[in-house]
Amino acid sequence: MKSQILGFGRSGGRLHHPCLLKAAERQSDIISGRIAVIERREIQAPCGVPVFREFADVIDFDPADTVVHICNEPSGHEPALQAAVAVGYRQFILEKPVAGSTADVMRIVSSARKNALKVVINFPWQATGLTTSLRKIVASGRYGSLKRLTMVKTKTRQPRAGEADDLASFGVELPHEVALALYLTGRPGTVVGVSSKPFVSAGRLVPFMGGASMTLDHGGTISDLQSDLDCPVRERRIDLFFENGWRVRGFYPVDGTDGTQRALFFDDKGALRSQVKFSNDPMTDLFLEAYRYFAGLGPEPSATLSLGVESALLTCEAKSIFRRLGSGDANGNDSPQLEGAAA
């Protein structure tokens, strides 16, 4: 199968493209490694990669055996998908979040149903040994029911022009965390808490872009999800708190340079009892799962459109609640309180 990448910025050029090449090396019978870029901006494409301005301009890429990777800004996902569908494409890998608004999310759902699209969302952590292990632990009931789940992703991310007005901090890491919370709990979530903080750098303050947090109630399990975008330490951590007092802490890779993951098991006294290590290349492995699915040679990956839609809708709802209940103080700090929010 061939590939097209719509949008050749950070996601398309620095993440999807190299992972596609690695996937093609590992399974060339399914992924040909032949790639085209759809990009209206003037770019320096890799040698041998043709660049087209529109899907309608593309030549020598049969939609029947081509996968489209949509990697532009979230507000452009829906029109990009519709433009690709209009000229015959039916297989997509869609960057998170699915779209930037509830209306766009629902239009993508409608198009997927109407045109029998196959869509996989780029949630790489779904394709890790750590996530598979955590899912099995929760399902087994080994430590009783899952009572609470916390996730934290920390890094430094410089804000971009116009992002504060759109509360873009809610769309950087939280869609991944919301998707994981939904997948691991196996239950829908209700937003019961949201917060944000400013980004501060060399005396410059950007409201709401230092990070964002959400709390979800899954009906028996609470998920506390945090994305800190103004932190000098890079970390992606998850903690599962169980009914019998045991806790499982997991560490995910922070970038594509090291696929090492780890699970630590603490007993009801807080003592570390054991640990397990995993290692893989999550995004490359997700692409391999997706292309096997598109080719009819494997099951649908767990990074489904329905999971992406639920994650996107909850993230859009969190932004809406934040705007409605409080847009923050002069420094961009706020934690709006929701009636009935879990303690």
Side-chain angles (χ1 to χ4, degrees):
M1 303 187 78
K2 297 183 282 294
S3 310
Q4 290 179 18
I5 301 175
L6 181 284
F8 210 66
R10 179 184 181 277
S11 293
R14 292 167 54 188
L15 298 176
H16 284 244
H17 183 254
C19 286
L20 266 174
L21 295 179
K22 288 187 287 184
E25 289 181 359
R26 288 171 52 183
Q27 193 143 23
S28 59
D29 58 323
I30 295 178
I31 306 176
S32 69
R34 188 176 173 199
I35 301 169
V37 169
I38 315 297
E39 180 61 81
R40 293 180 178 179
R41 300 174 301 136
E42 292 294 327
I43 62 167
Q44 185 67 44
C47 182
V49 175
V51 180
F52 304 94
R53 286 183 58 84
E54 308 285 350
F55 286 109
D57 300 333
V58 176
I59 56 174
D60 297 330
F61 279 77
D62 181 359
D65 69 346
T66 299
V67 177
V68 176
H69 294 240
I70 295 183
C71 304
N72 57 344
E73 68 283 351
S75 62
H77 287 181
E78 188 268 338
L81 181 137
Q82 304 292 20
V85 168
V87 292
Y89 295 97
R90 296 293 183 267
Q91 298 155 145
F92 297 88
I93 293 179
L94 191 57
E95 258 302 327
K96 59 77 191 170
V98 168
S101 71
T102 298
D104 278 358
V105 170
M106 298 317 297
R107 280 191 283 266
I108 287 175
V109 171
S110 177
S111 183
R113 290 172 177 166
K114 178 181 178 181
N115 298 290
L117 307 183
K118 288 185 174 181
V119 182
V120 172
I121 310 303
N122 188 31
F123 288 140
W125 317 122
Q126 299 294 121
T128 61
L130 175 58
T131 295
T132 299
S133 176
L134 295 178
R135 170 94 165 185
K136 289 178 179 178
I137 290 168
V138 173
S140 73
R142 184 187 313 169
Y143 306 117
S145 62
L146 177 63
K147 305 305 292 182
R148 185 164 163 256
L149 178 155
T150 66
M151 273 185 271
V152 179
K153 173 63 171 75
T154 64
K155 65 180 181 181
T156 298
R157 177 188 182 276
Q158 293 289 337
R160 298 157 195 168
E163 287 189 324
D165 294 338
D166 191 44
L167 295 178
S169 59
F170 283 86
V172 178
E173 293 294 340
L174 285 178
H176 288 301
E177 297 183 8
V178 172
L180 268 177
L182 295 170
Y183 182 68
L184 292 175
T185 62
R187 302 173 188 165
T190 300
V191 180
V192 296
V194 294
S195 66
S196 176
K197 70 172 187 173
F199 183 95
V200 182
S201 177
R204 183 172 71 102
L205 185 148
V206 183
F208 318 127
M209 286 308 300
S213 300
M214 293 172 58
T215 300
L216 302 178
D217 187 341
H218 304 272
T221 304
I222 298 296
S223 293
D224 291 312
L225 314 174
Q226 179 183 354
S227 170
D228 188 341
L229 305 177
D230 193 11
C231 180
V233 178
R234 294 171 63 86
E235 183 179 54
R236 183 177 273 113
R237 184 181 76 242
I238 184 170
D239 285 275
L240 306 183
F241 298 85
F242 291 92
E243 184 178 20
N244 71 351
W246 278 63
R247 172 170 62 98
V248 180
R249 167 165 288 187
F251 291 93
Y252 285 94
V254 295
D255 55 35
T257 62
D258 181 5
T260 303
Q261 308 132 51
R262 190 184 304 248
L264 291 79
F265 296 80
F266 298 87
D267 65 20
D268 56 355
K269 303 295 191 299
L272 177 63
R273 300 295 295 272
S274 64
Q275 59 179 297
V276 181
K277 292 183 180 179
F278 310 89
S279 183
N280 70 307
D281 186 343
M283 190 176 294
T284 301
D285 286 349
L286 177 62
F287 288 177
L288 285 167
E289 290 180 15
Y291 276 72
R292 293 185 193 113
Y293 166 59
F294 296 143
L297 299 174
E300 183 178 17
S302 63
T304 61
L305 175 60
S306 60
L307 181 65
V309 165
E310 195 171 357
S311 171
L313 291 177
L314 286 169
T315 305
C316 288
E317 181 184 358
K319 291 166 68 173
S320 176
I321 289 170
F322 189 86
R323 288 191 178 101
R324 187 174 74 247
L325 297 185
S327 58
D329 59 25
N331 293 323
N333 292 293
D334 203 2
S335 301
Q337 298 300 310
L338 280 65
E339 183 178 350

